[in-house]
Amino acid sequence: MTSTYDLNDGTTLPAVGFGTYPIDDPDVLVSALAVGYRLLDTAVNYENEEVVGEALRRTDVPRDEIVVATKIPGRHHAYDDARASIRASRERLGVERTDLHLIHWPNPSVDKYVEAWQALVDAQAAGEVRTIGVSNFTPAHLARIVDATGVTPAVNQVEMHPYFPQVELRAAHAELGIRTEAWSPLGKRQAPFTEPPVADAAQAHGVTPGQVILRWHRQLGSLPIPKASSTERQRANLDLGGFELTEAEVAAITALGREDGRLFGGDPDTHEEM
Ligand SMILES: NC(=O)c1ccc[n+]([C@@H]2O[C@H](COP(=O)([O-])OP(=O)(O)OC[C@H]3O[C@@H](n4cnc5c(N)ncnc54)[C@H](OP(=O)(O)O)[C@@H]3O)[C@@H](O)[C@H]2O)c1
């Protein structure tokens, strides 16, 4: 199994990333880099871009091996605000260029996400950002920005875990050539570690339930960004290469999905995060 994913802009991303919310200690991120993570996912609204920047300075891992990913918040969607937001993130992170820059939520009631997308398209053309994408976009939101700009996002970072497996959205992504990135990939505090399809697979393969869920993501082509505090869990969450789930095991885990499976009801059509 490959350890990177190809993107529609000709670049690649590590197949597993590290979620940084709500980490405020750079040593946790230095540890994550030391055990092998090469993608750090932050956001303006996590208020820890400086912490990520500090970890980049402290780590032995060369800067050009690390994908620094951040997000434009809802209050910065107007075109000039979005360009300024991208600049300010670079300053807080202490980087010359961000490697993956996303729109955090579409906030459709504000109705300025097309402007934010145009700002990302222009920032990429200006060399300020390597790869551009979105987060929490539905197929309708995606269609609108592609129609308006002719540019398809490389990535859509969305809620995805066994209780909310995003079957239809992933099919739409496959049609459009968009990589699915999964937030709360384990299911956070509601992680289904004791559900029979997960627990049984863990026992069958001699791995942890967390590794089963992350391997499920990988076999579905999704890029999970688990957050973990301890070095031990960080390492386990990256150690997914030594076993393969059967098709039946993957299907049984996907079948845990349910209509109301979202963790906090974050429906992108109605959820507002400014
Ligand atoms: N775009 C968006 O709107 C959005 C929304 C939410 C999150 N995110 C991103 O997604 C990242 C990950 O999401 P998340 O933190 O909500 O959920 P998650 O990664 O599914 O779960 C993290 C939780 O699981 C625990 N954990 C980690 N590895 C474990 C293991 N192997 N066994 C048992 N428990 C384990 C962690 O505990 P410890 O920390 O104590 O180890 C933590 O409490 C965030 O950090 C953020 O970067 C994005």
Side-chain angles (χ1 to χ4, degrees):
M1 177 176 274
T2 171
S3 56
T4 58
Y5 284 128
D6 293 332
L7 303 181
N8 66 14
D9 66 0
T11 67
T12 62
L13 286 177
V16 178
F18 189 75
T20 73
Y21 182 76
I23 294 168
D24 59 5
D25 177 357
D27 286 340
V28 176
L29 304 178
V30 172
S31 156
L33 291 166
V35 305
Y37 290 89
R38 291 294 179 267
L39 187 166
L40 299 179
D41 178 77
T42 181
V44 173
N45 278 350
Y46 300 171
E47 298 182 345
N48 66 359
E49 289 177 312
E50 285 98 342
V51 177
V52 172
E54 181 60 27
L56 296 176
R57 287 188 290 280
R58 286 192 198 177
T59 183
D60 297 334
V61 179
R63 166 70 186 95
D64 63 4
E65 290 182 17
I66 304 168
V67 173
V68 179
T70 193
K71 312 184 191 81
I72 299 174
R75 64 186 179 282
H76 295 165
H77 280 192
Y79 182 86
D80 289 343
D81 294 343
R83 291 298 297 265
S85 184
I86 295 163
R87 270 195 300 279
S89 284
R90 287 207 313 276
E91 278 163 27
R92 282 189 294 273
L93 289 159
V95 298
E96 286 187 10
R97 185 190 71 165
T98 48
D99 304 300
L100 176 63
H101 219 119
L102 312 177
I103 301 173
H104 204 149
W105 285 87
N107 289 294
S109 75
V110 177
D111 200 18
K112 291 208 164 110
Y113 61 86
V114 176
E115 288 189 39
W117 182 243
Q118 187 65 58
L120 279 174
V121 169
D122 293 348
Q124 184 184 45
E128 297 170 20
V129 181
R130 190 198 80 181
T131 292
I132 57 176
V134 295
S135 180
N136 300 303
F137 273 43
T138 66
H141 303 137
L142 291 168
R144 203 160 150 222
I145 58 172
V146 174
D147 283 353
T149 64
V151 182
T152 301
V155 166
N156 189 13
Q157 183 187 116
V158 294
E159 176 171 0
M160 177 178 163
H161 43 73
Y163 289 140
F164 204 69
Q166 296 278 20
V167 175
E168 283 127 44
L169 184 60
R170 283 188 289 110
H173 288 169
E175 292 272 310
L176 292 164
I178 295 173
R179 177 63 49 192
T180 304
E181 188 179 14
W183 63 256
S184 294
L186 294 165
K188 212 172 181 176
R189 280 177 212 88
Q190 293 163 37
F193 293 149
T194 58
E195 291 279 6
V198 175
D200 293 353
Q203 195 166 22
H205 296 280
V207 296
T208 68
Q211 287 171 316
V212 166
I213 294 172
L214 295 168
R215 178 78 199 190
W216 169 80
H217 280 279
R218 293 283 288 104
Q219 288 185 218
L220 292 176
S222 128
L223 191 172
I225 48 168
K227 173 257 179 185
S229 307
S230 69
T231 302
E232 190 190 353
R233 274 186 180 170
Q234 292 170 0
R235 193 172 279 125
N237 290 348
L238 260 193
D239 183 15
L240 308 175
F243 68 106
E244 185 167 9
L245 300 171
T246 65
E247 273 179 41
E249 286 168 333
V250 170
I253 296 168
T254 306
L256 291 171
R258 46 198 203 205
E259 281 289 311
D260 63 350
R262 293 185 197 276
L263 287 170
F264 61 91
D267 180 344
D269 279 324
T270 49
H271 181 74
E272 300 290 340
E273 264 192 34
M274 300 308 291

